[in-house]
């Protein structure tokens, strides 16, 4: 039996309904719960970005190229990468300086386009800025890899072209896994408890913008060790956490975020085909599944939350939201493309989310 939990939130004038909780989970840490709940209620009452029609905020290379004069293009790659080649109007701002730069700008009427190497890093920081309230920020889909073939290696070198055999992989299955029971919200603490809720949100966004989402050294490393602080994770890092029975991942809760086609191999539920990571649960991108009134609080505490989507773009946005709320969440880099590219490419629904030659526009760029 579920019981409705109501609570007072500081700085709000009404008692707000947050979620249903199992009776057995209703004894919550007052300090942590009130802080997380206060932030959650504020976010859901102000734009509710993750459950809005503008989520995720991704723009294509074609759209940017056709509207360069109406865009403020911010390239967040390293200075070295920027010098090798960038969009002609782009300025180079590191993620740690984004907040300071945008708050200093007097006129932000232009569309702000964040550019990274693969598009996933830009998606994560775009998500953070959108959550804060910058409603005109977009991430360039596939990043510089879509702009010109000279930068496409980050996708083409890491995406498999298919397997020579049809044997299933032991870390993928096609079963439907039920969501767990309701759980407490994460424990969030603030150094200055006298701040109002918007100041608290600003502090969290500023803090999260300082953390690197992805670096070249991560992609080029052979001996991978799971990094507790990084908001992204490679498939090999996740697979290394598979238990001996090959039925779940040690200390990980895996979320497949997208359409049902990404989760299950159509027409063969329960079969051996490549469907999703074993033990992964399904969060439907079309049903506001990260709302407090639906499945947000079915995400357990005490585990690393791994979210994956079709290409790693949407999951980066989701992870930005979850980390603001205090969850230890990571986006699976390159998403389903890195897990079962063969199946995605053969799917009428999913093939448009696989990176391919047609996605590389070969627009001109500048060096120096």
């Amino acid at each position: 039996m579920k019981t409705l939990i109501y609570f007072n939130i500081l700085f709000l004038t009404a008692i707000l309904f947050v979620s249903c909780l199992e009776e057995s989970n209703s004894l919550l840490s007052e300090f942590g719960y009130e802080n997380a709940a206060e932030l959650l209620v504020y976010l859901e009452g102000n734009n509710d970005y993750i459950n809005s029609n503008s989520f995720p905020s991704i723009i294509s290379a074609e759209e940017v190229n056709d509207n360069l004069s109406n865009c403020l293009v911010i390239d967040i790659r390293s200075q070295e990468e920027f010098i090798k080649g960038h969009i002609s109007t782009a300025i180079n701002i590191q993620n740690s300086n984004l907040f300071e730069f945008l708050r200093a700008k007097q006129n932000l009427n232009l569309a702000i386009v964040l550019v990274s190497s693969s598009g996933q890093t830009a998606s994560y920081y775009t998500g953070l800025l959108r959550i804060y309230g910058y409603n005109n920020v977009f991430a360039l889909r596939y990043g510089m890899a879509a702009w010109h073939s000279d930068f496409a290696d980050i996708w083409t070198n890491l995406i498999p072209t298919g397997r020579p055999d049809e044997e299933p992989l032991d870390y993928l299955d096609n079963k439907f896994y039920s969501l767990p029971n309701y759980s407490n919200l994460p424990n969030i603490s603030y150094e200055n408890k006298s701040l109002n809720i918007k100041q608290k949100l600003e502090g969290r966004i500023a803090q999260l913008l300082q953390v690197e989402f992805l670096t070249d050294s991560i992609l080029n490393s052979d001996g991978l060790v799971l990094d507790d602080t990084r908001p992204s994770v490679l498939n090999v890092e996740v697979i290394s956490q598979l238990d001996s029975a090959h039925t779940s991942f040690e200390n990980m809760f895996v979320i497949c975020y997208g359409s049902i086609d990404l989760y299950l191999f159509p027409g063969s539920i329960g079969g051996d085909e490549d469907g999703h990571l074993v033990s992964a649960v399904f969060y439907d991108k079309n049903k506001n599944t990260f709302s407090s009134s639906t499945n947000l609080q079915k995400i357990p505490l005490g585990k690393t939350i791994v979210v994956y989507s079709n290409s790693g773009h949407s999951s980066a946005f989701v992870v930005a939201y979850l980390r603001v709320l205090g969850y230890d969440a990571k986006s699976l880099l390159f998403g389903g493309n890195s897990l079962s590219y063969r199946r995605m490419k053969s799917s009428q629904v999913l093939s448009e989310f696989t990176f391919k030659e047609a996605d590389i526009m070969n627009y001109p760029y500048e060096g120096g």
Side-chain angles (χ1 to χ4, degrees):
M1 178 180 179
K2 297 175 182 176
T3 182
L4 300 180
I5 299 297
Y6 293 89
F7 49 84
N8 290 317
I9 298 298
L10 295 175
F11 312 110
L12 298 181
T13 58
I15 297 179
L16 301 174
F17 169 69
V18 170
S19 66
C20 294
L21 295 177
E22 294 287 345
E23 285 183 348
S24 60
N25 290 329
S26 62
L27 296 176
L28 306 173
S29 167
E30 182 178 328
F31 173 78
Y33 187 77
E34 286 186 351
N35 276 289
E38 179 188 20
L39 189 56
L40 176 59
V41 170
Y42 177 80
L43 292 174
E44 292 194 346
N46 288 269
N47 189 30
D48 195 16
Y49 173 62
I50 195 172
N51 297 308
S52 70
N53 292 331
S54 57
F55 179 93
S57 307
I58 302 171
I59 191 169
S60 69
E62 185 177 12
E63 290 176 281
V64 174
N65 185 66
D66 291 346
N67 297 280
L68 268 181
S69 61
N70 297 315
C71 295
L72 172 60
V73 181
I74 302 178
D75 194 317
I76 58 175
R77 295 175 299 157
S78 69
Q79 185 178 32
E80 181 181 3
E81 291 175 305
F82 183 80
I83 291 172
K84 287 180 180 177
H86 56 266
I87 299 171
S88 61
T89 60
I91 56 176
N92 190 210
I93 305 292
Q94 300 305 300
N95 54 277
S96 57
N97 297 322
L98 276 173
F99 229 176
E100 181 182 359
F101 173 79
L102 292 177
R103 284 183 290 189
K105 294 290 287 185
Q106 297 298 314
N107 185 355
L108 289 176
N109 293 327
L110 299 175
I112 302 170
V113 180
L114 298 192
V115 178
S116 60
S117 297
S118 69
Q120 297 165 92
T121 298
S123 294
Y124 176 70
Y125 296 121
T126 295
L128 291 176
L129 293 173
R130 280 271 183 166
I131 292 165
Y132 179 69
Y134 287 109
N135 297 323
N136 57 336
V137 185
F138 300 86
L140 178 62
R141 186 185 188 206
Y142 298 133
M144 286 299 291
W147 197 262
H148 197 281
S149 59
D150 289 348
F151 310 99
D153 284 358
I154 191 168
W155 275 96
T156 58
N157 286 351
L158 292 170
I159 299 305
T161 57
R163 301 199 307 277
D165 57 77
E166 296 298 319
E167 291 298 317
L169 298 177
D170 61 3
Y171 54 83
L172 296 173
D173 69 20
N174 209 47
K175 301 174 184 177
F176 194 95
Y177 293 91
S178 299
L179 273 65
N181 294 330
Y182 287 91
S183 179
N184 298 355
L185 288 169
N187 187 346
I188 300 176
S189 59
Y190 304 93
E191 290 185 10
N192 186 346
K193 299 178 183 179
S194 66
L195 299 176
N196 63 42
I197 186 58
K198 187 165 184 178
Q199 291 171 326
K200 290 178 180 178
L201 174 62
E202 180 176 331
R204 287 200 60 75
I205 299 294
Q207 183 181 36
L208 291 169
L209 283 168
Q210 302 300 310
V211 180
E212 293 292 337
F213 179 82
L214 176 63
T215 63
D216 288 340
S217 61
I218 295 169
L219 296 178
N220 297 327
S221 175
D222 292 326
L224 290 168
V225 177
L226 201 61
D227 185 340
D228 289 339
T229 64
R230 200 174 75 236
S232 64
V233 64
L234 285 164
N235 61 354
V236 291
E237 294 177 286
V238 175
I239 294 165
S240 71
Q241 300 296 306
L242 190 65
D243 64 15
S244 58
H246 293 181
T247 58
S248 64
F249 294 94
E250 299 283 358
N251 303 315
M252 286 183 170
F253 180 74
V254 183
I255 294 174
C256 174
Y257 175 76
S259 68
I260 193 66
D261 296 86
L262 179 65
Y263 188 66
L264 296 176
F265 196 98
S268 185
I269 297 177
D272 292 329
E273 292 84 357
D274 302 349
H276 51 77
L277 285 168
V278 295
S279 76
V281 298
F282 175 56
Y283 274 58
D284 194 329
K285 68 181 180 66
N286 297 314
K287 293 187 177 180
N288 295 350
T289 47
F290 287 101
S291 167
S292 62
S293 61
T294 54
N295 296 327
L296 174 67
Q297 285 184 239
K298 290 191 175 183
I299 299 174
L301 299 182
K303 291 188 176 183
T304 297
I305 312 304
V306 175
V307 185
Y308 76 93
S309 57
N310 293 309
S311 62
H313 286 72
S314 295
S315 58
F317 279 89
V318 169
V319 165
Y321 184 77
L322 294 181
R323 288 178 79 90
V324 167
L325 289 174
Y327 289 96
D328 174 20
K330 298 180 184 294
S331 176
L332 179 65
L333 292 167
F334 308 101
N337 277 250
S338 72
L339 295 174
S340 190
Y341 187 82
R342 172 184 58 84
R343 179 174 81 83
M344 286 188 64
K345 198 168 184 180
S346 66
S347 166
Q348 184 177 358
V349 175
L350 301 177
S351 59
E352 67 172 294
F353 301 105
T354 57
F355 184 80
K356 43 197 172 294
E357 188 174 347
D359 294 309
I360 305 172
M361 306 308 296
N362 283 318
Y363 292 132
Y365 64 89
E366 292 184 0

